[in-house]
Amino acid sequence: MSSEQKKTAFFFWFSLLFIVAVSSFDSYMSVKGQADLYEFELNPMARSLIALDGGEVSLLIGLKTFGTAIAVAACMFLRDRRYPHLNVVIAVLLIVQLGVLFSYSPMVLLF
């Protein structure tokens, strides 16, 4: 394996690890702040899922986990197929996850 291939593999696996880690933190914070989540949640789909589940977050967490699994599986599938724009796909996912992570900046201090 060449040096360039090693760098590409590291970027790929580190990116997937980061995506899963942020998703896990997001789920943790959703459970920890469950009592007030509906009031502070900005995502209308998430608010709908919380309302649909009677104020609980279990449906939201289940669907978030499923969505993360699909995203990771899709990246692995694209990598196996040597999709030429895989880095763009991963970069978009990383930007979205950074947005999720930064959205907790003030809230981390409250919990």
Side-chain angles (χ1 to χ4, degrees), residues 27-81:
S27 294
Y28 165 77
M29 292 299 288
S30 294
V31 171
K32 187 164 179 147
Q34 176 173 312
D36 300 316
L37 186 61
Y38 185 81
E39 181 182 342
F40 291 108
E41 180 61 60
L42 300 175
N43 182 340
M45 175 136 348
R47 287 179 60 100
S48 297
L49 291 171
I50 294 168
L52 186 63
D53 202 20
E56 301 291 320
V57 296
S58 54
L59 179 61
L60 174 64
I61 298 300
L63 290 175
K64 277 185 183 184
T65 303
F66 181 70
T68 300
I70 292 295
V72 168
C75 288
M76 294 174 76
F77 175 81
L78 292 174
R79 182 174 186 254
D80 287 347
R81 298 287 186 252

Side-chain angles (χ1 to χ4, degrees), residues 70-99:
I70 292 295
V72 168
C75 288
M76 294 174 76
F77 175 81
L78 292 174
R79 182 174 186 254
D80 287 347
R81 298 287 186 252
R82 301 187 191 285
Y83 181 65
H85 305 294
L86 177 61
N87 286 344
V88 174
V89 172
I90 290 176
V92 170
L93 289 172
L94 289 173
I95 290 168
V96 169
Q97 290 299 81
L98 279 171

Side-chain angles (χ1 to χ4, degrees), residues 25 28-29 32-33 36 39-40 103-111:
F25 178 73
Y28 165 77
M29 292 299 288
K32 187 164 179 147
D36 300 316
E39 181 182 342
F40 291 108
S103 74
Y104 282 107
S105 297
M107 292 187 70
V108 170
L109 301 175
L110 297 177
F111 294 108

